[in-house]
Amino acid sequence: MKLGSRPDTFYSAESVRTVSSEVSSDLIIEVKGCKYLLHKFPLLSKCLRLQRICCESPETSQHQIIQLPDFPGGIEAFELCAKFCYGITITLSAYNIVAAQCAAEYLQMTEDVEKGNLIYKLEVFFNSCILQGWRDSIVTLQSTKAFPLWSEDLGITSRCIESIASKVLTHPSKVSLSHSHSRRVRDDISCNGAESQQHKSTTKGWWAEDMAELGIDLYWRAMIAIKSGGKIPTNLIGQALQIYASRWLPNISRQVKANQGPTSDSDSDSTGEVSSKHRLLLESIVSLIPSDKGDVSCSFLLKLLKAANILNASSSSKMELARRVALQLEEARVSDLLIPSLSYSSDTLYDVDIVLTILEEFMLQGQSPPTSPPRSRLGFERRRRSRSAENIDFEFQESRRSSSASHSSKLKVAKIMDGYLQEIARDINLPLSKFIAIAEKIPDFSRLDHDDLYRAIDIYLKAHPDLNKSERKKLCRILDCKKLSVEACMHAAQNEKLPLRVVVQVLFFEQARAATVGGKVAELPSNIKALLAAHNIDPSRPPRTLSTTTSIRGDDQWSVSGLKSPKSRTSTLRMKLAEDDLDEYDMNPDGLGRSSKFKAFCALPTGPKKMFSKLLSINRSGSEKN
């Protein structure tokens, strides 16, 4: 909007601004170090504040001097008001209207002083133009940051937020946008107002990118107003939060690492100030996350959790993020769970405690596996049932379906956590207790096979060669040898880092599986049958196949091509026997005692070489067929 008709007659000489006029100036106004040589009549006729100041201060010379050190908006805003008093043309827009309103209020340019004064004209322009445009409302709200108190007192901030929220809740075809954005959105809308299918999703969240320009305090207030409207889908709120976070929280980990070097006091103060701003921003974003599951991705939540760890956010924010991640943990990736540990009390590379908390929350939210519905005793299934019986059956099926979904999510989470264990096992500072704690949180039925868990244990043993015998036994108690594939058994039977108990178990299970080649069960020695029965092993079951869904690093893959000879395998077992005390041999903690187990082990066939040779030949013949 343009006001006034006279040409601009202000000119500068050093730090002095003067109005070109035939009448000599009689008023000097100092604003922010700049002097204005002006005239009393045009200014005092419209500015009540200047009238009062001039009345209170006596004239001591030809020029009366007025100082305005706390003038809002600085010299630009004052000069705009002064030009309006002289009738000089001024241009108002969303970029300067807040400063102009604050300056006019400061000078008290009200209707009581003169009709059609500046405050009235600014108010009309603000209501009829600024608040009607989307981009103008955003720009104006952003400019209130320079005058927070004035903007709050004048109601500029609240009215801009209300305008933005109302436009978000309105169809974009009915919103007056800026020229560039208006063309982009309206091209996607047909003549009858319906959205084209190609740009439907883009049009629905058209407001998120523009709102991401706001500071976090104004953004938070605007999002609260939008959410309170109750018309915007919560998934769009989640998308908007993700856009805002990517705009204002980029590469936090790199910034922290760059700032960890030696810095001066001033640098540390500035770094602390930046971290404090980012911490406030992060906690505000967390408070805005919708409560429904799936409104934001699990990957985004874990990125926020990483940022919260780096920025040392409040424990309440971390726990809220952990709870939200637990709701959709089956969607997580192993790389997202590798949250860096910055705690001074722990030397581990990753924050294992927060992942353990997430896993505990997930298990608390889970349901029991689905069970079969009870069958009718009298066999009246064919008889027509009442409506209430049909409704009960429908509710049962629905509950069973939700329970099945929970069971499937536990299977996925078990796979993810075994992959996570493989990554953290490489950390030489990772305590054994934390590794076991995470592994034991997974229910037994969730692990269809223990191949991935065995990989994690093998990696941990390689990274921690100083583990003693009892620690290695404690670690391997979480492993179920019955759930190892043929390839895993071959590797474990030759793994010299495993305790004797595990190696012997693997050899028996491998022999039992080898006896079932071709679906025919060979006659096993009575002592082996007894040991297998003590472990609840049915040798008639077909062998499990090796899971190939998990990606493994090259140095952690199992090599089956270079199997040791029977003599070498037997020597490995003998070395284990010499290494471990047979009195401590504990093959089945729930079954036979030590003496009976020792006798059972000693009751092996007198020709162990023949048995292992037969075992190896069967395995080789099976691998050649494959």
Side-chain angles (χ1 to χ4, degrees):
M1 182 178 72
K2 289 188 177 182
L3 299 176
S5 57
R6 295 178 55 187
D8 191 352
T9 55
F10 273 67
Y11 65 92
S12 300
E14 297 180 356
S15 61
V16 178
R17 294 280 285 167
T18 309
V19 178
S20 177
S21 174
E22 297 177 357
V23 182
S24 59
S25 61
D26 55 357
L27 181 65
I28 298 177
I29 299 180
E30 296 182 0
V31 179
K32 303 293 182 180
C34 183
K35 291 183 178 181
Y36 285 89
L37 301 181
L38 305 174
H39 303 83
K40 289 183 180 180
F41 175 74
L43 268 72
L44 299 186
S45 63
K46 291 182 173 62
C47 303
L48 182 59
R49 188 184 187 95
L50 295 182
Q51 290 180 17
R52 294 174 177 174
I53 293 176
C54 288
C55 293
E56 294 172 359
S57 59
E59 298 184 13
T60 56
S61 61
Q62 179 183 358
H63 293 86
Q64 188 168 2
I65 301 175
I66 298 177
Q67 294 182 349
L68 304 175
D70 56 345
F71 192 87
I75 58 177
E76 293 82 4
F78 175 78
E79 192 166 317
L80 188 145
C81 294
K83 288 180 179 179
F84 174 80
C85 294
Y86 280 97
I88 298 173
T89 303
I90 60 175
T91 302
L92 297 171
S93 67
Y95 292 94
N96 63 0
I97 189 171
V98 176
Q101 284 181 300
C102 296
E105 288 288 341
Y106 181 89
L107 294 174
Q108 299 177 2
M109 302 175 72
T110 62
E111 292 294 288
D112 296 336
V113 182
E114 184 179 72
K115 293 295 181 180
N117 211 342
L118 183 57
I119 291 178
Y120 170 76
K121 294 183 181 296
L122 290 174
E123 190 69 21
V124 171
F125 176 65
F126 182 73
N127 291 327
S128 61
C129 295
I130 297 296
L131 295 181
Q132 301 305 314
W134 166 256
R135 284 293 302 168
D136 291 336
S137 299
I138 293 286
V139 172
T140 304
L141 181 60
Q142 184 74 345
S143 62
T144 60
K145 290 172 56 179
F147 319 99
L149 297 179
W150 281 93
S151 300
E152 290 291 344
D153 292 340
L154 298 177
I156 300 174
T157 304
S158 59
R159 284 186 289 173
C160 285
I161 290 175
E162 292 174 2
S163 173
I164 292 170
S166 64
K167 289 175 175 58
V168 170
L169 301 175
T170 307
H171 193 276
S173 63
K174 300 178 181 180
V175 177
S176 176
L177 306 173
S178 63
H179 293 292
S180 59
H181 197 95
S182 177
R183 285 196 299 269
R184 184 170 77 247
V185 173
R186 286 171 181 161
D187 286 344
D188 300 338
I189 302 173
S190 58
C191 297
N192 59 1
E195 296 167 319
S196 62
Q197 193 67 24
Q198 182 179 359
H199 301 91
K200 187 174 182 180
S201 59
T202 305
T203 306
K204 283 186 176 181
W206 59 271
W207 47 272
E209 291 283 352
D210 290 330
M211 284 192 60
E213 299 176 7
L214 296 172
I216 184 58
D217 50 345
L218 298 174
Y219 182 84
W220 188 86
R221 292 175 60 181
M223 289 298 292
I224 290 295
I226 292 171
K227 292 176 68 176
S228 63
K231 295 182 180 180
I232 298 298
T234 52
N235 64 319
L236 291 184
I237 299 291
Q239 292 176 12
L241 292 176
Q242 190 163 351
I243 291 173
Y244 190 82
S246 62
R247 167 73 171 80
W248 293 99
L249 289 175
N251 300 326
I252 289 181
S253 57
R254 295 181 182 179
Q255 294 179 10
V256 172
K257 289 179 181 179
N259 294 328
Q260 284 179 347
T263 56
S264 61
D265 294 338
S266 59
D267 293 337
S268 61
D269 292 341
S270 61
T271 301
E273 183 179 355
V274 171
S275 299
S276 178
K277 290 180 180 179
H278 281 143
R279 190 183 306 116
L280 174 63
L281 189 149
L282 175 71
E283 293 174 354
S284 301
I285 292 176
V286 172
S287 67
L288 291 172
I289 296 176
S291 57
D292 295 339
K293 176 181 177 181
D295 289 335
V296 292
S297 65
C298 186
S299 176
F300 173 60
L301 290 171
L302 285 169
K303 287 178 182 177
L304 290 181
L305 191 54
K306 286 182 181 180
N309 233 25
I310 293 172
L311 296 172
N312 194 24
S314 64
S315 57
S316 59
S317 297
K318 291 181 181 179
M319 288 305 300
E320 175 63 18
L321 286 171
R323 187 187 67 82
R324 294 302 308 277
V325 171
L327 287 174
Q328 47 202 94
L329 184 57
E330 68 273 11
E331 304 171 8
R333 296 177 300 182
V334 174
S335 57
D336 293 331
L337 289 170
L338 298 177
I339 302 172
S341 175
L342 300 177
S343 174
Y344 294 103
S345 59
S346 176
D347 295 330
T348 57
L349 294 176
Y350 305 111
D351 192 342
V352 181
D353 294 331
I354 193 66
V355 175
L356 185 58
T357 302
I358 293 172
L359 189 56
E360 290 174 348
E361 288 287 333
F362 172 79
M363 291 303 169
L364 289 176
Q365 296 161 2
Q367 301 178 12
S368 60
T371 55
S372 300
R375 296 181 179 180
S376 175
R377 294 181 180 178
L378 302 178
F380 291 152
E381 291 84 355
R382 296 183 181 179
R383 182 177 298 177
R384 185 172 180 176
R385 296 177 297 175
S386 63
R387 290 183 178 270
S388 59
E390 292 178 354
N391 293 335
I392 293 173
D393 183 68
F394 175 78
E395 293 176 359
F396 177 82
Q397 295 297 334
E398 288 296 317
S399 64
R400 185 182 181 188
R401 187 178 296 113
S402 62
S403 179
S404 298
S406 176
H407 179 62
S408 64
S409 65
K410 286 184 178 180
L411 296 179
K412 295 178 183 177
V413 168
K415 206 71 175 173
I416 294 169
M417 298 313 300
D418 285 347
Y420 176 75
L421 287 172
Q422 294 175 33
E423 293 295 330
I424 65 173
R426 297 178 174 85
D427 184 5
I428 59 175
N429 296 319
L430 178 66
L432 178 63
S433 58
K434 291 187 177 182
F435 183 93
I436 295 176
I438 292 182
E440 289 181 338
K441 282 295 177 183
I442 304 297
D444 185 63
F445 68 85
S446 297
R447 285 192 176 101
L448 299 181
D449 63 72
H450 276 217
D451 286 7
D452 291 336
L453 181 60
Y454 171 69
R455 289 190 186 96
I457 292 175
D458 184 52
I459 294 171
Y460 191 89
L461 290 173
K462 290 178 181 177
H464 302 79
D466 297 333
L467 291 179
N468 57 38
K469 186 193 308 181
S470 62
E471 289 173 334
R472 286 188 287 122
K473 286 184 178 180
K474 186 177 181 181
L475 173 63
C476 292
R477 283 197 189 102
I478 61 178
L479 185 66
D480 187 354
C481 297
K482 297 188 296 291
K483 290 188 176 182
L484 291 178
S485 66
V486 176
E487 186 178 356
C489 285
M490 290 181 180
H491 185 278
Q494 304 173 77
N495 193 342
E496 298 180 357
K497 295 181 176 62
L498 294 177
L500 169 67
R501 177 179 71 91
V502 179
V503 175
V504 174
Q505 282 183 347
V506 168
L507 289 174
F508 278 114
F509 300 146
E510 187 179 357
Q511 198 276 345
R513 269 200 279 255
T516 63
V517 174
K520 297 180 180 180
V521 181
E523 186 66 23
L524 299 177
S526 58
N527 55 348
I528 296 180
K529 284 184 177 181
L531 286 174
L532 292 177
H535 284 271
N536 297 321
I537 299 298
D538 185 3
S540 62
R541 292 181 182 177
R544 287 187 173 89
T545 57
L546 178 64
S547 173
T548 58
T549 57
T550 306
S551 58
I552 318 168
R553 296 190 182 182
D555 55 345
D556 296 325
Q557 292 180 351
W558 304 329
S559 175
V560 188
S561 59
L563 287 175
K564 298 179 181 179
S565 62
K567 292 182 178 180
S568 176
R569 181 178 292 192
T570 307
S571 61
T572 301
L573 182 58
R574 286 176 177 174
M575 180 185 66
K576 288 288 183 181
L577 291 173
E579 174 187 324
D580 291 270
D581 187 1
L582 284 178
D583 292 336
E584 297 178 359
Y585 178 68
D586 180 22
M587 180 155 48
N588 185 6
D590 300 326
L592 303 173
R594 287 186 180 179
S595 58
S596 59
K597 284 182 287 184
F598 179 76
K599 292 178 181 178
F601 182 80
C602 293
L604 285 170
T606 55
K609 292 185 179 181
K610 294 182 180 180
M611 183 184 71
F612 289 122
S613 300
K614 180 180 179 181
L615 169 62
L616 185 60
S617 62
I618 293 176
N619 289 336
R620 283 181 176 175
S621 61
S623 60
E624 289 174 359
K625 291 179 181 180
N626 295 330

